[in-house]
Amino acid sequence: MKHLLKDPTLWRDGAYIAGEWLAETPHGRYTLRNPVDQMVLAELPRCRETEVRHAIDTAHEAFGPWRRLTAKRRGEVLRRWYELMVENREDIATLITLEEGKPLEEARGEVDYAASFVRWFGEEATRVRGDLIPGVKDTQRIVILREPIGVCAAITPWNFPAAMITRKAAPALAAGCTMVVKPASQTPLTALALAELALRAGVPAGVFSVITGNDTRDIAGELTANPLVRKLTFTGSTEVGRLLLAQAAQTVKKCSMELGGNAPFIVFDDADLDAAADGVMLAKFRNGGQSCIGANRVLVQSGVYDALAERIVERMARLKVGNGLEPGVQVGPLIDDAAVRKSQALVDDALAQGARLLSGGKPHALGGCFFEPTLLADVTHGMRVAREEIFGPVMPLVRFDTDDQAIAMANDSEFGLAAYLFSRDAARIWRNAARIESGMVGINCGLISNEVAPFGGVKQSGLGREGSHLGIDEFLEVKYLCWDGLESV
Ligand code: NAP
């Protein structure tokens, strides 16, 4: 598959630790497979505690020299990394599609999104400011410094193999921190290509390392127990986030968590229904439904329920399912068999409880990990498909009559990541956006992620924010100097 890359040297199958490619470990290798047909893509070295400890030690050594560079210089290195990502857009996109399965056009979009964080935080590096506060005596000044926290550990998911790394690494490096990344074991090749580009961009050895392996508990155990790691940044499921928070508590690490979601997509009766149908297609079927901010349940006001369902059925009939490398494909395979089984179980549960199948409903004729884009009507709030994170191409339509009912259903969840509202009435939008318990609200739009906006959730969807001017704060500590003995002026 290496031959699919314009620059085959971006195909890296060793761990990248302390500025070197590690081809072997004493623990052997694990096999990486393509989700389309389970063909072997690569054999990667299995790292465990020893290799992780080495990466952490060198990240600790590299921290001093890296933080002492001027912010401007760190920004320049990040700018070069960004440019290299743009120049190699097609190859990174190909790697994403090969190991994750999303259509190539979406993968290109992910590369643009991933690169945008590197550019943005390269610029933000020079905008980290301190503060000066008058003291409590006339001879005193209170000086506030904002300093890089130190060695950071990042654990990332497979669904956005490039962007979930750069959304963490770019602000960390911009702030002057160093980072050890453990990408999902299903998508290491993209992470390793990013490491190769970081090396070419002049990111010094030890500042950015990538661990490979599927001995996940060992790797994460060392990352969370090692006292040299001062910050843990995680994106993944709420279940694993809880475990990692408990582990990181032993050494009281600063933590940020981007966790699961159950986004309500609410369509009021005064909405532009074509815009709502276009929006929900984007919010649901991007990455085959495997997005944390994907529309999980679509709440539709009774008066427009049938009309919206009709518009969605029409649009779904035009969706092309297939191998993401083929032109025109819009929905790729799910990541693995377990994901197919989960989609099927949620559909079966809903049908058994009285939901109506409007389209799809079973594994796709293509076989493997493909599942048919599925639309379910007459779903009720209590069904599993409306309460659990689906992470598949299954769209449940739930009916409501009043705004209060919609908001009560939307908020009756442990999650609070994203929500979407469609209405033409600005007062109604304002009122309901204020009542929704979520970190992000899309209003009359189905795509809300970009580098300038703060991404993150409330409740059990997470802690902290990524992106925007706030994202760098997660990698900075506040130090205050109480400076006395100055002249009174
Ligand atoms: P996951 O199972 O939680 O895995 C995420 C990462 O955690 C992977 O690197 C995984 O490693 C690692 N991991 C798994 N079990 C672990 C354990 N017991 N101890 C330590 N680390 C462990 O999640 P996923 O299936 O990859 O991703 C889907 C989830 O991510 C969804 O819930 C989605 O909502 C969430 N997500 C959230 C955001 C956000 O910004 N809020 C963005 C994207 C995804 P292995 O790969 O080696 O198992």
Side-chain angles (χ1 to χ4, degrees):
M1 288 294 162
K2 205 190 256 193
H3 66 277
L4 293 176
L5 302 189
K6 291 182 190 160
D7 175 358
T9 62
L10 282 179
W11 184 283
R12 286 290 185 177
D13 53 10
Y16 180 68
I17 298 177
E20 288 178 0
W21 296 99
L22 182 71
E24 300 287 340
T25 71
H27 326 295
R29 296 179 161 265
Y30 80 98
T31 305
L32 182 71
R33 291 175 188 278
N34 179 333
V36 169
D37 51 17
Q38 302 303 308
M39 259 179 59
V40 173
L41 283 177
E43 304 273 339
L44 292 121
R46 286 169 63 177
C47 297
R48 287 196 186 151
E49 292 97 333
T50 318
E51 293 74 27
V52 177
R53 208 170 300 135
H54 177 48
I56 294 170
D57 287 342
T58 37
H60 183 62
E61 282 161 27
F63 174 54
W66 180 247
R67 74 172 289 187
R68 283 195 290 276
L69 289 182
T70 60
K72 186 172 172 216
R73 180 66 199 128
R74 287 197 302 271
E76 285 165 356
V77 173
L78 287 172
R79 177 75 196 191
R80 186 65 197 130
W81 195 16
Y82 157 75
E83 288 166 355
L84 287 171
M85 289 181 69
V86 173
E87 283 166 27
N88 293 282
R89 179 182 191 244
E90 203 58 22
D91 280 349
I92 306 170
T94 302
L95 288 170
I96 294 174
T97 299
L98 280 175
E99 61 183 357
E100 200 267 353
K102 72 180 60 169
L104 196 52
E105 193 51 32
E106 265 190 49
R108 292 186 185 110
E110 184 186 339
V111 179
D112 296 343
Y113 178 53
S116 74
F117 290 105
V118 183
R119 183 182 60 184
W120 170 267
F121 283 111
E123 291 162 356
E124 286 297 288
T126 57
R127 299 193 189 110
V128 173
R129 295 193 192 91
D131 220 339
L132 186 64
I133 300 174
V136 292
K137 297 192 284 177
D138 60 354
T139 55
Q140 201 180 58
R141 305 286 180 276
I142 307 291
V143 182
I144 296 179
L145 305 178
R146 292 168 78 225
E147 302 184 329
I149 187 162
V151 177
C152 304
I155 300 179
T156 57
W158 49 265
N159 65 341
F160 289 90
M164 295 304 98
I165 291 177
T166 58
R167 213 166 67 175
K168 298 175 185 310
L173 269 53
C177 297
T178 56
M179 179 169 270
V180 178
V181 180
K182 190 217 93 62
S185 48
Q186 286 160 314
T187 54
L189 297 179
T190 308
L192 295 168
L194 293 179
E196 169 64 31
L197 296 178
L199 173 67
R200 293 183 196 174
V203 174
V207 170
F208 179 75
S209 290
V210 176
I211 302 291
T212 57
N214 59 355
D215 299 278
T216 307
R217 281 161 204 240
D218 287 30
I219 297 170
E222 182 62 27
L223 289 173
T224 51
N226 193 311
L228 293 180
V229 174
R230 293 309 319 136
K231 159 93 191 180
L232 172 68
T233 168
F234 172 71
T235 297
S237 60
T238 295
E239 190 188 354
V240 174
R242 283 188 202 109
L243 287 174
L244 292 174
L245 277 171
Q247 285 173 223
Q250 300 309 309
T251 45
V252 193
K253 298 190 198 314
K254 183 168 166 135
C255 290
S256 32
M257 298 273 141
E258 293 285 352
L259 307 177
N262 179 2
F265 190 107
I266 308 178
V267 182
F268 295 102
D269 54 9
D270 58 357
D272 174 337
L273 291 188
D274 284 311
D278 289 340
V280 82
M281 293 297 289
L282 204 57
K284 177 78 239 182
F285 293 109
R286 198 163 63 107
N287 202 15
Q290 303 169 113
S291 159
C292 55
I293 55 169
N296 207 58
R297 45 206 167 125
V298 184
L299 313 183
V300 192
Q301 199 152 15
S302 298
V304 294
Y305 190 90
D306 293 333
L308 183 72
E310 213 171 281
R311 283 170 169 77
I312 296 172
V313 169
E314 277 166 24
R315 284 163 174 77
M316 282 177 63
R318 295 197 293 268
L319 280 180
K320 187 173 172 196
V321 180
N323 181 340
L325 290 177
E326 288 166 15
V329 164
Q330 292 154 295
V331 180
L334 293 177
I335 189 69
D336 52 26
D337 291 340
V340 174
R341 287 196 297 274
K342 175 154 191 203
S343 284
Q344 187 68 70
L346 295 181
V347 170
D348 291 347
D349 174 78
L351 294 177
Q353 294 189 61
R356 218 165 13 106
L357 194 59
L358 296 187
S359 94
K362 58 182 188 306
H364 197 278
L366 286 169
C369 299
F370 289 95
F371 197 84
E372 292 177 343
T374 296
L375 185 62
L376 293 168
D378 300 343
V379 171
T380 54
H381 179 54
M383 294 179 190
R384 281 183 62 195
V385 74
R387 304 198 70 85
E388 295 180 23
E389 192 177 32
I390 302 169
F391 245 57
V394 178
M395 189 190 301
L397 299 181
V398 183
R399 199 182 294 266
F400 71 87
D401 291 314
T402 66
D403 290 25
D404 284 350
Q405 273 175 2
I407 298 299
M409 281 195 273
N411 289 344
D412 181 22
S413 167
E414 66 184 23
F415 298 113
L417 192 57
Y420 302 85
L421 304 177
F422 273 71
S423 163
R424 288 192 176 94
D425 180 341
R428 186 180 204 182
I429 287 283
W430 192 253
R431 189 170 57 245
N432 288 317
R435 295 196 298 162
I436 282 267
E437 294 168 358
S438 70
M440 298 169 275
V441 186
I443 296 166
N444 296 326
C445 66
L447 192 63
I448 57 174
S449 313
N450 56 65
E451 76 281 17
V452 303
F455 194 104
V458 299
K459 295 158 74 174
Q460 295 187 42
S461 283
L463 301 169
R465 292 294 179 270
E466 293 186 339
S468 83
H469 58 292
L470 301 174
I472 201 164
D473 291 348
E474 305 288 336
F475 300 93
L476 293 166
E477 288 278 33
V478 169
K479 180 189 279 175
Y480 122 72
L481 313 180
C482 182
W483 194 331
D484 211 338
L486 299 170
E487 280 179 28
S488 173
V489 288

